[in-house]
Amino acid sequence: MDKLTKIVVIVGGGNAGWLTAGRLAAKHNSNSEQGLKVILVESANVPAIGVGEGTWPTMRSTLKALNISETDFIRECDASFKQGAKFAKWHDGSEDDYYYHPLVLPQGFGKTDLAGHWLAQQALAKNQSSEQSPLPANSQAHSHSFSNQVCFQEAICEQGLAPKTIRHAEFADVANYAYHLDSAKFTRFLQKHCQENLGVTHIIDDVIGVNSIGDTNSEGARAGDIASVTTKAHGDITGDLFVDCTGFSSLLLGEHYQVPFKKCDDVLFIDTALAVQVPYENDDDAIASHTISTGQKAGWIWDIGLQSRRGVGYVYSSKHSTEAEAKQILAEYVGVKNGAQLDSLKVRKIPINSGYRETAWQNNCVAIGLSAGFLEPLEASALVMIELGAQMISEQLPQSRAVMDIVAKRFNETALYRWQKIVDFLKLHYILSEREEPFWADNRDPSSIPESLQELMTLWQYRAPADYDFTSNNEVFPAASYQYVLYGMGFNSDYSHNPFALDDTDMASSQFEQNKKLTAKALSLLPSNRELLSKIKEFGLSRI
Ligand SMILES: Cc1cc2nc3c(=O)[nH]c(=O)nc-3n(C[C@H](O)[C@H](O)[C@H](O)COP(=O)(O)OP(=O)(O)OC[C@H]3O[C@@H](n4cnc5c(N)ncnc54)[C@H](O)[C@@H]3O)c2cc1C
């Protein structure tokens, strides 16, 4: 007889555990007798990682799928709106060196190759200016930057504005947005919601053993499947599917199944984080509506504005910096005098082992979250991987053991593809830098650049990234994201060899014009990020 999937046991109660529990319980009616039973076991002795404050716009669909009110989420998770990332000092490290990776697609994306037209304008302007008075290096005005010319969101962010107004309903927008959130508050919020509203069973206990099924048994389980996990106080907890959300310890997939870990530290060099929470000086200080990511000697600093504080952290390569040096750099950034004073902000040091498990789903066990892998916080790719993984498990939940291996195979192919693409996209941020410190120079070493990325870079010498370059329906970063990074970092795709590629100049002009109009409209309409958040706290947004 075939073994049906009736009980899912999730080990781990960080954001990966609760997001997965919520997705499964909401989709499979865990509130009802006939629904899927979702049990989440978490240790009171192993704290969740407690960092991870930047999200993707996918979080809006995740919250909706969990039937969470955006107002409640914003009120209880210290959340703010995020409209992309500002990369400062990544190109040459100078004071006015920055570019944006916004969340709105380039104007007319898919209708015309606006990137190509923008590049052609740049080339023309450069030729004209070198004939008249040569421009000094790095003098390109930000108003003519790629992201400003093709997208209205950079202007909104530079003014500290929100992506919508109080008159917009929950999850509606003027400009596409994600959130910044307090990771620990988000975990507690999800836990309460999953228990009270979605029917998830919560057990606080330590998992101390994993028990395998011996041979294929009469109920259709497979040899090597997990039968149960042993806990300290609650005995054995049996299930049909086990989800490993145990964070870096990867208790089920890594320790029990010994699934190999693919290290990525030969490509991505970040291996240490120093994280602090910084209070605002005044209660009404502006809240940046984008993540600020500032290049440093041996890595970069993230700066995330929540309602009540900022979350700031220096992620660096310990091969290129001592901890004392890193602390000094972080101290200077947050405006305290030195590393010793920084300690008053309770610095947390977190080691990062960049890489991922080669197989995410083994037998009847699938890993979601840090247990499956982590690269570095750049572009906030971890929570989105959790959301996408949890969504796929809930939508593709194998109804019986007989089909589980087929679903697992697809899940593994998708996860592997996504990891490889994320590695490429993160590496792209580093390889075009002209900074001279060894960290940045080593990042440009061709031996550290994956062949798949080198291939794309060769293609893009002659044209802008396009959807043709990303043909899977499981892409994480669209071609537009590659455009923002490439042209923000000063890359040139030379269209001069193909004069027919850009023959739709009328369409392009109208899209550039449209972007100007949208920019002006957004700037006149939108309140500041703080103002909107205060209003939401006071009045709430209307529910959809
Ligand atoms: C420096 C840094 C910055 C980051 N920034 C971002 C960001 O900006 N954006 C983003 O998307 N992501 C970011 N991340 C990643 C993000 O923090 C995580 O992906 C996310 O919090 C999910 O973590 P998790 O639930 O997988 O693991 P954890 O939070 O570590 O949770 C593990 C859980 O497993 C439980 N557990 C462990 N062992 C046992 C046991 N034996 N028995 C029972 N329970 C057990 C623990 O109690 C805990 O509940 C960042 C990560 C780091 C390190």
Side-chain angles (χ1 to χ4, degrees):
M1 203 186 81
D2 200 6
K3 190 172 193 281
L4 298 178
T5 308
K6 291 183 176 163
I7 304 174
V8 177
V9 178
I10 297 169
V11 185
N15 285 329
W18 287 111
L19 283 167
T20 310
R23 268 280 182 182
L24 280 165
K27 175 91 185 157
H28 299 278
N29 293 324
S30 297
N31 260 331
S32 80
E33 277 292 302
Q34 298 76 33
L36 181 76
K37 189 158 179 58
V38 178
I39 303 171
L40 186 145
V41 195
E42 78 171 301
S43 165
N45 302 309
V46 185
I49 189 116
V51 284
E53 301 179 328
T55 68
W56 274 39
T58 46
M59 190 54 84
R60 285 154 68 187
S61 7
T62 298
L63 296 179
K64 271 196 260 182
L66 268 58
N67 201 17
I68 285 175
S69 139
E70 188 176 37
T71 302
D72 293 348
F73 161 74
I74 286 173
R75 283 178 179 160
E76 293 187 38
C77 301
D78 205 8
S80 61
F81 295 108
K82 166 183 169 179
Q83 299 183 71
K86 177 176 184 173
F87 291 94
K89 301 189 181 181
W90 281 69
H91 185 219
D92 60 13
S94 63
E95 284 307 314
D96 74 339
D97 163 19
Y98 74 81
Y99 73 95
Y100 271 82
H101 174 193
L103 300 179
V104 171
L105 291 177
Q107 184 60 37
F109 194 77
K111 283 190 207 157
T112 177
D113 179 3
L114 214 53
H117 287 280
W118 176 81
L119 286 161
Q121 287 179 1
Q122 293 296 107
L124 194 67
K126 206 170 160 196
N127 283 343
Q128 283 171 352
S129 66
S130 63
E131 275 165 22
Q132 293 154 14
S133 59
L135 284 171
N138 217 358
S139 72
Q140 186 201 44
H142 283 291
S143 60
H144 293 286
S145 71
F146 175 68
S147 50
N148 244 327
Q149 289 288 299
V150 304
C151 174
F152 63 95
Q153 200 157 33
E154 172 170 339
I156 302 179
C157 292
E158 281 292 292
Q159 305 274 329
L161 303 182
K164 63 200 269 179
T165 74
I166 193 70
R167 286 180 299 281
H168 288 89
E170 293 197 335
F171 304 111
D173 67 27
V174 170
N176 192 17
Y177 67 86
Y179 309 100
H180 291 137
L181 51 81
D182 180 311
S183 175
K185 287 184 179 166
F186 187 46
T187 311
R188 288 195 290 276
F189 177 74
L190 286 171
Q191 175 190 330
K192 190 165 178 274
H193 180 73
C194 287
Q195 278 182 269
E196 291 178 3
N197 304 320
L198 299 178
V200 176
T201 306
H202 186 202
I203 297 175
I204 299 179
D205 206 342
D206 290 302
V207 169
I208 52 170
V210 180
N211 311 304
S212 301
I213 287 165
D215 298 319
T216 305
N217 67 20
S218 57
E219 283 186 349
R222 302 287 188 278
D225 280 6
I226 297 175
S228 62
V229 288
T230 304
T231 58
K232 253 188 198 162
H234 293 77
D236 288 354
I237 300 173
T238 54
D240 305 308
L241 174 66
F242 289 80
V243 189
D244 184 346
C245 295
T246 57
F248 285 132
S249 63
S250 194
L251 208 63
L252 309 187
L253 197 74
E255 263 190 43
H256 174 72
Y257 279 119
Q258 295 285 310
V259 167
F261 184 77
K262 164 87 177 120
K263 281 173 85 67
C264 296
D265 56 354
D266 53 338
V267 179
L268 299 167
F269 305 148
I270 298 293
D271 62 7
T272 313
L274 297 176
V276 286
Q277 298 186 351
V278 184
Y280 287 112
E281 276 180 23
N282 305 300
D283 288 349
D284 59 354
D285 278 355
I287 302 173
S289 69
H290 51 276
T291 302
I292 303 162
S293 159
T294 308
Q296 304 292 339
K297 186 182 157 219
W300 57 276
I301 286 179
W302 81 76
D303 188 341
I304 283 179
L306 303 182
Q307 292 172 40
S308 69
R309 62 163 176 86
R310 283 155 61 208
V312 181
Y314 184 19
V315 275
Y316 64 95
S317 153
S318 64
K319 287 198 189 81
H320 297 89
S321 170
T322 62
E323 187 176 327
E325 260 181 318
K327 272 192 169 176
Q328 182 62 37
I329 285 172
L330 185 58
E332 279 166 23
Y333 184 90
V334 298
V336 296
K337 285 199 187 85
N338 50 43
Q341 274 200 6
L342 190 71
D343 288 336
S344 68
L345 292 174
K346 297 199 186 90
V347 189
R348 275 190 67 199
K349 182 179 171 187
I350 306 165
I352 292 173
N353 187 11
S354 182
Y356 52 86
R357 300 277 159 194
E358 285 172 6
T359 307
W361 194 322
Q362 169 88 39
N363 287 69
N364 63 339
C365 170
V366 54
I368 297 281
L370 298 174
S371 56
F374 182 63
L375 298 168
E376 61 158 281
L378 188 63
E379 296 283 7
S381 59
L383 283 167
V384 70
M385 280 292 274
I386 292 170
E387 295 174 77
L388 294 172
Q391 181 181 359
M392 189 163 172
I393 295 173
S394 72
E395 288 177 2
Q396 295 287 305
L397 185 72
Q399 291 306 306
S400 76
R401 187 61 185 87
V403 292
M404 194 176 286
D405 292 344
I406 303 168
V407 175
K409 184 168 169 269
R410 292 179 182 176
F411 187 93
N412 287 333
E413 283 167 3
T414 304
L416 196 63
Y417 179 83
R418 285 181 173 147
W419 283 120
Q420 287 164 349
K421 287 291 178 179
I422 295 173
V423 170
D424 277 6
F425 185 62
L426 299 191
K427 184 67 174 179
L428 177 70
H429 291 66
Y430 293 102
I431 62 175
L432 295 167
S433 177
E434 291 172 5
R435 289 184 67 133
E436 284 167 2
E437 297 99 324
F439 170 79
W440 297 91
D442 288 351
N443 259 299
R444 289 190 293 270
D445 182 338
S447 68
S448 77
I449 305 175
E451 264 179 43
S452 46
L453 178 58
Q454 295 199 29
E455 198 173 85
L456 289 168
M457 294 301 289
T458 307
L459 265 179
W460 297 336
Q461 284 174 32
Y462 298 100
R463 65 161 173 82
D467 286 341
Y468 293 112
D469 305 323
F470 306 98
T471 48
S472 164
N473 58 3
N474 291 311
E475 294 298 344
V476 180
F477 293 96
S481 291
Y482 287 79
Q483 291 189 354
Y484 284 125
V485 175
L486 275 184
Y487 305 125
M489 288 294 281
F491 186 78
N492 184 38
S493 304
D494 184 358
Y495 279 68
S496 62
H497 309 283
N498 186 359
F500 308 112
L502 302 173
D503 56 4
D504 58 344
T505 44
D506 289 349
M507 166 65 97
S509 303
S510 78
Q511 297 302 333
F512 282 125
E513 271 314 302
Q514 179 67 2
N515 184 54
K516 280 189 195 145
K517 282 186 198 148
L518 288 172
T519 307
K521 194 171 168 202
L523 293 182
S524 67
L525 172 82
L526 296 169
S528 79
N529 207 17
R530 177 162 306 273
E531 189 187 332
L532 178 59
L533 291 164
S534 304
K535 281 194 178 152
I536 293 173
K537 279 175 85 175
E538 199 179 346
F539 307 113
L541 292 161
S542 56
R543 289 203 74 168
I544 37 173

